[in-house]
């Protein structure tokens, strides 16, 4: 019960406050979009930049940690896509979008603050290791899969499809922040010294990132009220909240991950789909209602599933 009130509740209260503000019309949709644009395009990239720039790449990049997390993610995508095709009888483009909802955990906006509140600031090093390749890898994977499906009947090579996907990913602010963080990290190892005033500014922006993003997330979720599609929504919730963390936990035990790595991997896997899953569907104009509703429902249900995993992970 302590974990529910001390760790989970504060994070979701900020999300709920954003939801309440939009429900009561105390803030316009345009204003909420501005908050989210600030968070996603500026503050969160700076947060990722600072985190990646300060990572000990040799000590924190554990292949088995990444394999445990991303095996669960890709299995969730495969299951979501296959069941959408053969059980729900959805078109291939819809199936890829639904699979992407199952694939893309809200690793940054929810995973980082919950892990930090549960286990302390040092516990999120594993989270940032996962996040450092999360958007680049999964966006490239999802866009390539969708472009490949959409390219059927066209004279587009696999290389051309992959190049189009990579170009789109490299223009994403979060990915730009991650790549800049790697560049500075490697430069500092080569002798680059940046002034303390620079890092103070990075810290100030980083401190604003998660509160603004969580508040804005609540406002955005208000727009995505569930409307039908119960089986598809249940599929997304089951894959993202149950299958992904269970597979990650099992593989973590098999790979003998240490406790800190298990916490980061499993809690990140246990996060609900992020709003980016809806943005991906909206980008292609397919399965938007399923994606939006699944993000909202899974975010609400994750209060219980995250509580469970906090009890499992000492």
């Amino acid at each position: 019960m302590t974990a529910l009130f001390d760790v989970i509740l504060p994070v979701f209260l900020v999300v709920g406050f954003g939801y309440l503000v939009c429900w009561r019309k105390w803030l316009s949709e345009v204003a909420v979009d501005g908050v989210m644009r600030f968070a996603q395009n500026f503050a969160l990239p700076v947060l990722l930049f600072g985190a990646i720039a300060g990572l000990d790449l040799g000590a924190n990049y554990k292949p088995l940690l990444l394999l445990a997390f991303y095996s669960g993610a890709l299995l969730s995508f495969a299951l979501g896509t296959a069941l959408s095709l053969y059980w729900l009888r959805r078109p291939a483009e819809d199936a890829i979008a639904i699979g992407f909802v199952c694939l893309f955990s809200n690793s940054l906006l929810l995973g980082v603050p919950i892990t930090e509140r549960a286990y302390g600031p040092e516990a999120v090093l594993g989270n940032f290791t996962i996040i450092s390749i999360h958007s680049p890898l999964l966006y490239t994977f999802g866009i390539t899969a969708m472009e490949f499906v959409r390219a059927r009947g066209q004279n587009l090579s696999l290389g051309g499809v992959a190049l189009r996907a990579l170009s789109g990913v490299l223009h994403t602010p979060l990915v730009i922040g991650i790549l800049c963080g790697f560049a500075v990290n490697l430069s500092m190892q080569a002798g680059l010294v940046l002034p303390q005033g620079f890092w103070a500014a990075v810290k100030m922006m980083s401190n604003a990132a998660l509160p603004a993003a969580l508040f804005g997330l609540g406002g955005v979720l208000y727009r995505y009220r569930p409307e039908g599609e119960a089986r598809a929504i249940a599929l997304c919730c089951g894959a993202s909240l149950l299958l992904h963390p269970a597979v990650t936990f099992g593989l973590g035990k098999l790979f003998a991950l240490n406790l800190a790595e298990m916490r980061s991997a499993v809690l990140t896997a246990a996060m609900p789909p992020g709003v980016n899953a809806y943005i991906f569907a909206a980008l292609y104009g397919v399965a938007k209602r399923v994606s939006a509703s699944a993000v909202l429902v899974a975010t609400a249900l994750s209060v219980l599933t995250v509580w469970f995993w906090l009890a499992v992970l000492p």
Side-chain angles (χ1 to χ4, degrees), residues 19-29 222 225:
Y19 191 100
L20 173 68
V21 164
C22 285
W23 172 48
R24 300 304 300 169
K25 309 298 183 187
W26 295 334
L27 205 61
S28 68
E29 289 189 1
Y222 172 71
R225 294 176 288 277

Side-chain angles (χ1 to χ4, degrees), residues 73 81 105 118 176 199 211 224 232 242 266 281 303:
T81 303
S105 303
I176 293 171
W199 294 114
Y224 302 148
L242 302 178
V266 174
V303 173

Side-chain angles (χ1 to χ4, degrees), residues 258-291:
N258 64 41
L259 182 57
E261 293 166 347
M262 283 288 287
R263 287 169 171 171
S264 292
V266 174
L267 280 183
T268 305
M271 293 302 112
V275 172
N276 284 337
Y278 168 75
I279 294 173
F280 178 84
L283 177 66
Y284 290 100
V286 295
K288 292 191 292 184
R289 186 167 65 177
V290 173
S291 300

Side-chain angles (χ1 to χ4, degrees), residues 215-302:
F215 177 85
L217 175 62
V220 171
L221 287 177
Y222 172 71
R223 304 177 197 173
Y224 302 148
R225 294 176 288 277
E227 297 177 14
E229 307 280 12
R231 292 191 302 169
I233 295 169
L235 169 61
C236 293
C237 293
S240 61
L241 297 179
L242 302 178
L243 178 63
H244 189 180
V247 170
T248 301
F249 181 79
L251 290 177
K253 288 290 189 182
L254 179 65
F255 298 154
L257 298 182
N258 64 41
L259 182 57
E261 293 166 347
M262 283 288 287
R263 287 169 171 171
S264 292
V266 174
L267 280 183
T268 305
M271 293 302 112
V275 172
N276 284 337
Y278 168 75
I279 294 173
F280 178 84
L283 177 66
Y284 290 100
V286 295
K288 292 191 292 184
R289 186 167 65 177
V290 173
S291 300
S293 298
V295 170
L296 177 59
V297 173
T299 299
L301 292 176
S302 68

Side-chain angles (χ1 to χ4, degrees), residues 58-243:
N60 290 291
Y61 271 81
K62 305 291 182 64
L64 293 180
L65 165 67
L66 298 173
L67 183 60
F69 177 84
Y70 286 105
S71 294
L74 293 173
L75 184 60
S76 297
F77 173 84
L79 180 70
T81 303
L83 289 180
S84 298
L85 281 170
Y86 301 112
W87 177 47
L88 301 178
R89 304 291 181 184
R90 302 294 292 247
E93 289 87 350
D94 281 25
I96 295 294
I98 292 171
F100 194 81
V101 176
C102 302
L103 172 76
F104 203 94
S105 303
N106 199 337
S107 57
L108 181 57
L109 269 64
L110 295 179
V112 169
I114 287 175
T115 304
E116 185 174 5
R117 290 194 62 80
Y119 304 116
E122 294 300 319
V124 298
L125 293 176
N127 294 58
F128 282 117
T129 300
I130 293 169
I131 291 168
S132 68
I133 63 170
H134 192 257
S135 289
L137 177 65
L138 298 189
Y139 264 124
T140 302
F141 176 80
I143 293 172
T144 301
M146 182 66 82
E147 293 291 346
F148 185 76
V149 167
R150 289 164 62 93
R152 289 174 302 175
Q154 302 179 24
N155 293 323
L156 279 177
S157 66
L158 181 60
V161 170
L163 186 61
R164 182 188 297 180
L166 184 61
S167 175
V169 170
L170 292 177
H171 285 84
T172 305
L174 293 178
V175 175
I176 293 171
I178 290 169
L179 294 177
C180 290
F182 276 119
V184 169
N185 187 303
L186 296 173
S187 298
M188 288 193 300
Q189 292 183 34
L192 175 69
V193 177
L194 293 173
Q196 286 301 313
F198 173 81
W199 294 114
V202 169
K203 185 176 180 181
M204 289 175 66
M205 283 288 287
S206 299
N207 289 342
L210 289 175
L214 290 171
F215 177 85
L217 175 62
V220 171
L221 287 177
Y222 172 71
R223 304 177 197 173
Y224 302 148
R225 294 176 288 277
E227 297 177 14
E229 307 280 12
R231 292 191 302 169
I233 295 169
L235 169 61
C236 293
C237 293
S240 61
L241 297 179
L242 302 178
L243 178 63

